[in-house]
Amino acid sequence: MSTTHRITGVAAAVLLVASVTACTATAAPTGAAPTSTGSSAAVTGNPASGLRSVRLTVADGADAGAASGRSLRIPKGWRAEVWADADGARMAAWLPDGSMLLTTGGQGGLLRLTPRSGDRAPAVQRLASGLDDPQGVAVTQQGGQTVVVLGEDSRIVTWRWKDAALTDRRVLVDDLPTGGHGGKFVAVRNGIVTYDIGSGTNDSGADRQANPDRAVIRQIGLDGTGDTLLATGVRNGEGIAHAPDGTLFTAVNQADQQPYPFHDGSGKYGQRDQAYVNEHPNDQVTRITRGAELGWPYCVPDSRGKLDLLDLGSVRQPANNPDGDALDCSTVTPTMVGLPAHSAPIGFVFTRGSALPDAYADGALITTHGSWNRQPPRPPSVSYSAWDDDTRTLGQPHTIVEGFQTASGSRWGRSVDAVPGPDGALYVTDDAAGLVYRLTPAG
């Protein structure tokens, strides 16, 4: 592996480099039998038409590592390139000067990737080191200045971006709970930072009584005031973004190994049936309003009879809420878009205003990490879901990037985030291979 461009390791402390981003759910009838486990999309993903296998090229100066000689399936006519290598590449955001901010999770770094002319890898600059599991990153404008918002394991911090350097570090929120789903992800709009605090467990109701909060989404002003609770029952809402109408959405990783929730005469109620576990519960994409309740761990999405996996209600979780006493599942915010179970969505970005081709320029990109315990594994991917201005909703997603997993189920990479670039390309991060791919549309 190249020592010139590969970014590794963490420092002992932060180092700033001087020269240097609806309606309510319907409870399932307890006596009803499942009529469907979902469409074929629930099993294999839902590829867009016209995907082609394209061999990855490598930008001059980049180290392809595990992607060497590999291909991705992308829309017809697109090109695919290993653009940059950076260990632990996670979440990305663009600075006003056209350079990319990149978090590296357990590697503890915040990087700046500056594009260079020709077929060359970007210049890589470490802006900060020794960070505590940096994950979500966002860039906004405030008072004529550029502000970078970052989620660390136990805090949300901001910097000013001035003269190609990070300055004026400020801690917005500190002493947040860690462990379990500890990564903090962020979105910012109109001076308000939205951040998630994932659950500490897979499906324990004890998280709902935790102090500080777990399994929630909260908001705070960029000035550090007004830290308030926005939504509860959000097991792991890593994907956070604002839709074209200004409303907030989240993409949620649902629970694993869930017991069969239907009184249908099958004798499976309350048991862990592998066929059910493989395809349920669906991961979620949905709108979040103040006071929203997503149900975890008392209610799970119910996709019976919903072949398109849209507008899903909830059903009671047998172990935590058998009689509905813990939570009335009819009050749970419905799932606008159900994703195949164990997809593990992380990156979630709306594309309106981007330079992507028209076919992908007004919807959401949903980047999934793939399953850890399903057999066969759910593959990592990037999907596109179109936005409808009339209904203010997202439609059924279609996979537009895949190929990180072989036919045997082994993986050479895992997609994390996909962000439209100012050049009209799509940039996809991969924390397993430690790479950033540049996917260039036809024409």
Side-chain angles (χ1 to χ4, degrees), residues 123-151:
V124 180
Q125 187 176 21
R126 184 179 292 275
L127 297 179
S129 298
L131 301 174
D132 188 5
D133 190 27
Q135 295 288 343
V137 62
V139 177
T140 189
Q141 298 295 316
Q142 183 186 43
Q145 295 182 305
T146 299
V147 179
V148 175
V149 183
L150 180 73

Side-chain angles (χ1 to χ4, degrees), residues 220-245:
I220 188 171
L222 275 172
D223 61 1
T225 64
D227 189 11
T228 58
L229 179 65
L230 186 65
T232 52
V234 187
R235 179 178 179 269
N236 191 19
E238 294 180 333
I240 308 174
H242 292 92
D245 65 353

Side-chain angles (χ1 to χ4, degrees), residues 105-347:
Q107 298 296 323
L110 178 62
L111 309 181
R112 180 192 183 201
L113 279 58
T114 303
R116 296 192 289 186
S117 61
D119 186 25
R120 295 193 295 167
V124 180
Q125 187 176 21
R126 184 179 292 275
L127 297 179
S129 298
L131 301 174
D132 188 5
D133 190 27
Q135 295 288 343
V137 62
V139 177
T140 189
Q141 298 295 316
Q142 183 186 43
Q145 295 182 305
T146 299
V147 179
V148 175
V149 183
L150 180 73
E152 294 187 68
D153 196 32
S154 63
R155 65 185 68 89
I156 308 297
V157 301
T158 66
W159 285 279
R160 301 288 179 183
W161 176 255
K162 185 177 181 181
D163 299 328
L166 296 173
T167 63
D168 302 324
R169 178 180 179 271
R170 178 175 185 176
V171 178
L172 287 188
V173 190
D174 209 351
D175 299 321
L176 296 175
T178 61
H181 304 109
K184 306 303 185 291
F185 294 76
V186 296
V188 59
R189 184 175 185 269
N190 294 337
I192 302 297
V193 177
T194 302
Y195 65 98
D196 75 301
I197 305 175
S199 70
T201 65
N202 178 48
D203 64 356
S204 172
D207 273 354
R208 296 295 297 258
Q209 284 74 51
N211 185 17
D213 296 334
R214 300 292 313 233
V216 298
I217 292 177
R218 300 185 65 91
Q219 290 183 323
I220 188 171
L222 275 172
D223 61 1
T225 64
D227 189 11
T228 58
L229 179 65
L230 186 65
T232 52
V234 187
R235 179 178 179 269
N236 191 19
E238 294 180 333
I240 308 174
H242 292 92
D245 65 353
T247 58
L248 185 73
F249 276 64
T250 186
V252 183
N253 290 233
Q254 260 293 345
D256 300 305
Q257 303 295 339
Q258 291 301 283
Y260 192 81
F262 305 115
H263 291 281
D264 58 6
S266 67
K268 298 177 182 178
Y269 178 79
Q271 299 182 16
R272 285 188 170 85
D273 176 71
Q274 191 59 48
Y276 175 81
V277 167
N278 270 353
E279 306 305 335
H280 301 88
N282 298 101
D283 287 341
Q284 303 164 278
V285 171
T286 202
R287 179 180 280 113
I288 295 293
T289 56
R290 190 165 300 280
E293 169 61 62
L294 265 61
W296 179 89
Y298 304 125
C299 308
V300 294
D302 178 15
S303 57
R304 290 177 297 169
K306 301 290 290 186
L307 297 181
D308 58 7
L309 301 183
L310 302 179
D311 192 26
L312 305 182
S314 294
V315 64
R316 295 194 294 266
Q317 204 268 17
N320 297 326
N321 191 26
D323 301 317
D325 294 337
L327 181 64
D328 179 356
C329 295
S330 70
T331 66
V332 170
T333 298
T335 297
M336 184 181 293
V337 178
L339 303 176
H342 318 300
S343 293
I346 301 178

Side-chain angles (χ1 to χ4, degrees), residues 1-3 5-6 58-68 82-86 121 433-435:
M1 196 62 72
S2 166
T3 58
H5 293 275
R6 174 65 70 175
V58 183
D60 185 21
D63 186 340
S68 181
V82 173
W83 183 62
D85 55 277
L435 300 171

Side-chain angles (χ1 to χ4, degrees), residues 48-74:
S49 60
L51 295 190
R52 297 290 187 272
S53 183
V54 175
R55 181 66 62 92
L56 282 159
T57 61
V58 183
D60 185 21
D63 186 340
S68 181
R70 299 288 187 175
S71 298
L72 291 176
R73 282 176 48 81
I74 55 179

